[in-house]
């Protein structure tokens, strides 16, 4: 808010806006979020800590209290939190709505723990989490902030992944390490698909946004896993790896088509996302056919990270842009350290890479207006 | 996020339904567990095991049930792992097809040669975890199950020397005081 005030004062001094407009902007921004992201961060932290505390209290398993009393108290607390959710939803008090929502869904998780404790249920943790995700999905749609859908998607996604791998529901005939690899590489496509499908539904749009964020995060994980697998020969069978990558491509291609048709992103910005996805898929068969060229993993990572940085720049996300550029730099550095056996070659490679980056900067400056025009086009 | 706000306001019943769904689902879970606990056939089986810990639900004993059945999970080939199997209680027998109505049997999955029916856990208070763990390791434990007609089983009690674990602990405590 202080930063905004300073900026607005500057704009008033420069005559870009008049004091009335400044006051209107300040009033509007103040009404949008009470306390802004810092308050939400503390609310998120506080409710998570309370949630973990509740789970720990349940986990202590007080034998002095009769089971039915534990259950009655549990349901009364849940009901109270539910009433709190409805009260603050109606009053449109967003910070308290988010707090009660977080407490409510975490308490639902604690309740599942309590029921499994009382009835000695011997099921899997991931099954309990999937059940939790299903029953709390409706209430998560009431959220007006990113944190709760993001948390929900994280738990749901992790539980489903573990379930799929454990039960061999996906690629049943390959080794476990390759199954993990395949699943981690295909996850961003599933997340993108769910994000695109849910974005159209106003009620489920917050969950869709959660999936969108997780498609980026799981994409990052996929890139990292691919790079490490190729670079350190983690896969025991390259023949199997070819099959895995083939299957990932088979699943990925229709997803790309669907995202292309239905994604809510503007058309030109969509092109960058699709370029990233196509590169992600296109590199897999090449890499599996040329296992001796370990550098493919590094090249793949650097290009994808750079494209993602361009996307972050277009989306005006400067922190992400800086982080991605830092990762690109670190990957270049890693190439240098990996090539201890052939320093001269890697040195030349680094010089060429640095040259390409500097060449890019030179071209950018020379054709700045042309690029800016292009970016303006992407942002339309 | 705010784009959904308008839609929410219009759907005035939706928030209430959204809050009620998890409550009903959890209540339904309790009812189903209670039904299985009270309406099933009671079966007592010996166990051996040890004590790990679950972050979500606290301390529990995890054990293997001694079904005393020949060829348990042997008829299921390695390629068809995770397949369903049935342990008939009387006469003790393992089979891969569903037993006839009237027989008391436990339905489970064969995993790496072990029969798992979701009843291999008994939650215990943290302060008693150590002593119960030692007793169970000493093969003095039995588990009381409620077995439903469809083969789904529910744990009812843990017996130590044929006494409920809470009574056993109480007696141990009294002996120590004497």
């Amino acid at each position: 808010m202080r930063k905004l005030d300073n900026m607005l004062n500057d704009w008033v001094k420069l005559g870009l806006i008049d004091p009335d407009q400044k006051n209107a902007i300040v009033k509007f921004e103040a009404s949008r979020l009470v306390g802004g992201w810092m308050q939400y961060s503390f609310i998120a932290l506080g409710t998570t800590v309370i949630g973990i505390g509740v789970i720990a209290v349940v986990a202590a398993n007080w034998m002095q209290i009769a089971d039915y009393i534990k259950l009655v108290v549990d349901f009364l607390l849940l009901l109270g939190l539910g009433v709190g959710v409805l009260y603050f939803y109606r009053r449109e008090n967003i910070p308290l709505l988010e707090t009660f929502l977080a407490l409510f869904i975490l308490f639902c998780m604690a309740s599942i723990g309590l029921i499994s404790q009382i009835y000695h249920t011997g099921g899997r943790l991931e099954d309990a989490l999937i059940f939790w995700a299903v029953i709390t999905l409706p209430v998560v749609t009431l959220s007006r902030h990113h944190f709760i859908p993001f948390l929900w998607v994280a738990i749901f996604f992790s539980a489903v992944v573990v379930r799929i791998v454990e039960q061999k529901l996906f690629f049943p005939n390959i080794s476990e390490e390759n199954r993990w690899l395949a699943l981690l590489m295909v996850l961003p496509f599933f997340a993108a698909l769910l994000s695109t499908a849910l974005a159209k539904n106003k009620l489920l749009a917050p969950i869709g946004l959660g999936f969108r964020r997780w498609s980026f995060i799981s994409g990052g994980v996929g890139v990292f896993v691919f790079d490490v697998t190729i670079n350190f020969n983690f896969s025991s069978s390259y023949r199997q790896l070819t099959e895995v990558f083939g299957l990932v491509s088979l699943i990925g291609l229709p997803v790309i088509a669907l995202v292309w048709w239905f994604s809510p992103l503007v058309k030109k910005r969509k092109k960058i996302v699709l370029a990233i996805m196509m590169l992600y898929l296109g590199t897999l068969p090449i890499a599996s056919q040329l296992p001796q060229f370990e550098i493919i993993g590094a090249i793949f990572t650097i290009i994808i990270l750079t494209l993602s940085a361009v996307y972050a720049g277009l989306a005006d996300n400067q922190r992400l842009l800086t982080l991605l550029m830092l990762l690109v730099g670190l990957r270049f550095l890693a190439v240098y350290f990996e090539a201890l056996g052939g320093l001269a070659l890697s040195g030349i490679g680094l010089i060429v890479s640095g040259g390409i980056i500097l060449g890019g900067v030179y071209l950018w400056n020379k054709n700045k207006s042309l690029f800016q025009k292009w970016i303006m086009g992407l942002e339309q | 996020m705010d784009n959904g706000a308008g839609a929410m306001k219009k759907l005035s019943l939706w928030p209430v339904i959204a809050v009620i769904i998890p409550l009903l689902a959890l209540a339904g879970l309790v009812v189903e567990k209670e039904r299985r606990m009270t309406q099933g056939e009671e079966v007592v089986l010996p166990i051996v095991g040890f004590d790990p810990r679950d972050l979500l639900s606290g301390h529990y004993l995890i054990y293997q049930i001694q079904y005393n059945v020949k060829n348990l999970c042997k008829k299921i080939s390695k390629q068809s792992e995770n397949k369903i199997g049935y342990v008939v209680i009387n006469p003790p027998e393992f089979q891969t097809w569903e037993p006839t109505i009237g027989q008391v049997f436990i339905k489970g999955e064969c995993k790496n040669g072990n029969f798992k029916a979701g009843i291999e856990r008994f939650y215990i208070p943290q302060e008693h975890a150590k002593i119960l763990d030692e007793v169970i390791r000493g093969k003095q434990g039995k588990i009381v199950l409620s077995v439903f007609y469809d083969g789904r089983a529910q744990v009812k009690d843990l017996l130590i020397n044929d006494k409920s674990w809470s009574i056993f602990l109480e007696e141990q405590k009294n002996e120590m005081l004497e």
Side-chain angles (χ1 to χ4, degrees):
Chain A
M1 213 50 190
R2 191 182 294 168
K3 195 178 166 189
L4 180 72
D5 272 341
N6 292 338
M7 280 165 70
L8 289 172
N9 287 335
D10 285 346
W11 294 345
V12 172
K13 272 182 206 163
L14 290 166
L16 295 171
I17 55 171
D18 60 47
D20 288 343
Q21 284 173 317
K22 181 206 150 187
N23 291 337
I25 294 169
V26 169
K27 204 175 166 188
F28 171 72
E29 287 298 327
S31 69
R32 275 213 308 182
L33 291 176
V34 186
W37 64 270
M38 211 154 92
Q39 183 175 337
Y40 279 105
S41 303
F42 279 108
I43 285 173
L45 179 69
T47 47
T48 309
V49 169
I50 292 172
I52 293 167
V54 169
I55 292 170
V57 168
V58 170
N61 196 357
W62 296 342
M63 68 179 291
Q64 291 85 355
I65 304 170
D67 290 342
Y68 77 92
I69 293 177
K70 282 188 214 171
L71 283 172
V72 168
V73 171
D74 180 78
F75 273 93
L76 284 175
L77 282 170
L78 259 181
L79 196 66
L81 290 170
V83 170
V85 167
L86 291 175
Y87 179 76
F88 292 114
Y89 181 86
R90 298 268 183 228
R91 295 196 62 164
E92 297 195 4
N93 186 331
I94 297 172
L96 282 172
L97 168 69
E98 297 299 316
T99 307
F100 270 79
L101 268 177
L103 282 172
F104 183 76
I105 62 169
L106 288 169
F107 211 82
C108 282
M109 194 185 280
S111 303
I112 294 170
L114 179 72
I115 293 167
S116 68
Q117 192 185 77
I118 288 173
Y119 294 98
H120 308 286
T121 310
R124 297 182 178 91
L125 178 65
E126 60 270 20
D127 285 351
L129 294 177
I130 291 170
F131 175 70
W132 169 85
V134 170
I135 66 170
T136 55
L137 175 63
V139 84
V140 170
T141 63
L142 303 182
S143 173
R144 307 274 184 85
H145 200 252
H146 308 304
F147 173 69
I148 291 172
F150 185 77
L151 177 76
W152 184 90
V153 172
I155 294 173
F156 173 71
F157 224 34
S158 315
V160 168
V161 168
V162 174
R163 191 75 171 93
I164 288 172
V165 173
E166 290 285 310
Q167 284 300 98
K168 302 180 182 174
L169 296 173
F170 194 72
F171 304 138
N173 299 320
I174 60 173
S175 67
E176 193 165 334
E177 81 228 25
N178 279 337
R179 200 175 320 121
W180 270 108
L181 174 68
L183 196 64
L184 288 172
M185 298 228 57
V186 91
L187 267 185
F189 293 103
F190 280 127
L193 188 65
L194 286 166
S195 156
T196 307
L198 298 178
K200 298 278 177 188
N201 185 310
K202 278 188 177 174
L203 205 62
L204 296 172
I207 312 279
L209 202 63
F211 274 110
R212 190 154 115 198
R213 282 157 187 261
W214 276 105
S215 71
F216 291 127
I217 293 170
S218 57
V221 172
V223 169
F224 176 76
V225 166
F226 172 82
D227 194 351
V228 168
T229 307
I230 296 297
N231 231 358
F232 297 98
N233 298 321
F234 271 177
S235 179
S236 56
S237 160
Y238 272 101
R239 195 181 55 80
Q240 217 175 61
L241 203 62
T242 309
E243 286 172 29
V244 168
F245 287 167
L247 283 165
V248 171
S249 302
L250 267 179
I251 294 167
L253 281 171
V255 174
I256 289 179
L258 286 168
V259 170
W260 174 254
W261 285 110
F262 298 109
S263 172
L265 289 174
V266 287
K267 210 169 185 181
K268 286 187 177 175
R269 201 184 284 183
K270 212 189 280 183
K271 279 181 184 170
I272 291 204
V273 175
L274 289 172
I276 294 172
M277 287 168 113
M278 289 301 285
L279 184 71
Y280 189 89
L281 281 187
T283 314
L284 302 181
I286 300 167
S288 60
Q289 292 304 315
L290 302 165
Q292 66 275 31
F293 294 106
E294 291 160 4
I295 195 77
I296 286 176
I299 295 171
F300 168 79
T301 305
I302 288 165
I303 297 176
I304 286 213
L305 288 176
T306 309
L307 279 174
S308 305
V310 171
Y311 182 85
L314 293 175
D316 208 20
N317 191 335
Q318 285 188 10
R319 272 179 291 185
L320 185 62
L321 171 74
T322 312
L323 175 73
L324 288 165
M325 292 315 289
L326 182 74
L327 289 173
V328 172
L330 285 174
R331 191 63 191 94
F332 270 118
L333 206 64
V335 171
Y336 172 78
F337 286 123
E338 281 160 17
L340 285 175
L343 271 177
L345 193 67
S346 94
I348 291 167
L350 281 169
I351 291 164
V352 171
S353 306
I356 291 169
I357 294 169
L358 292 176
V361 174
Y362 173 74
L363 279 174
W364 165 265
N365 280 322
K366 206 177 172 190
N367 302 293
K368 210 172 182 176
S369 57
L370 206 70
F371 281 120
Q372 275 172 341
K373 214 182 254 178
W374 179 68
I375 284 173
M376 292 296 280
L378 288 175
E379 284 180 335
Q380 275 166 14
Chain B
M1 252 335 124
D2 287 332
N3 59 349
M8 305 282 191
K9 271 186 192 169
K10 281 179 202 165
L11 298 164
S12 57
L13 256 184
W14 173 244
V16 180
I17 295 168
V19 168
I20 286 174
I21 286 173
L23 288 168
L24 283 181
L26 290 168
L29 188 64
V30 171
V31 170
E32 171 60 14
K33 297 276 177 199
E34 200 58 43
R35 194 171 73 98
R36 275 202 245 168
M37 181 90 97
T38 50
Q39 293 181 8
E41 187 84 26
E42 194 168 289
V43 172
V44 181
L45 292 167
I47 55 169
V48 284
F50 56 93
D51 162 43
R53 204 163 68 126
D54 180 2
L55 187 69
L56 191 64
S57 311
H59 279 260
Y60 59 85
L61 294 167
I62 191 161
Y63 44 79
Q64 281 190 337
I65 298 175
Q66 306 291 290
Y67 289 103
N68 295 325
V69 171
K70 277 182 189 170
N71 299 323
L72 185 65
C73 287
K74 290 279 188 319
K75 289 176 191 168
I76 288 183
S77 67
K78 215 174 181 184
Q79 281 175 333
S80 56
E81 281 289 348
N82 298 330
K83 282 286 166 80
I84 307 292
Y86 303 87
V87 170
V88 181
I89 302 297
N90 197 15
E93 192 189 2
F94 174 75
Q95 55 194 50
T96 50
W97 61 94
E98 193 166 327
T100 51
I101 297 167
Q103 279 186 293
V104 180
F105 64 92
I106 297 171
K107 184 180 174 183
E109 277 179 29
C110 285
K111 285 189 120 188
N112 304 319
N114 293 316
F115 185 76
K116 302 277 178 197
I119 46 173
E120 293 79 16
R121 229 181 243 196
F122 193 88
Y123 289 90
I124 45 174
Q126 190 175 345
E127 65 266 34
H128 303 306
K130 203 175 168 216
I131 186 166
L132 287 172
D133 176 32
E134 282 167 12
V135 174
I136 301 299
R137 278 177 202 270
K139 298 187 180 182
Q140 297 167 51
K142 283 178 187 165
I143 203 81
V144 183
L145 303 171
S146 171
V147 182
F148 221 51
Y149 70 93
D150 60 358
R152 284 179 299 169
Q154 176 91 48
V155 178
K156 282 179 85 173
D157 201 1
L158 170 71
L159 304 182
I160 312 287
N161 293 338
D162 294 324
K163 289 170 194 158
S164 180
W165 66 279
S166 49
I167 297 169
F168 170 80
L169 285 175
E170 198 64 38
E171 286 178 359
Q172 290 278 97
K173 209 171 155 186
N174 292 340
E175 274 175 31
M176 280 172 76
L177 287 172
E178 283 167 17

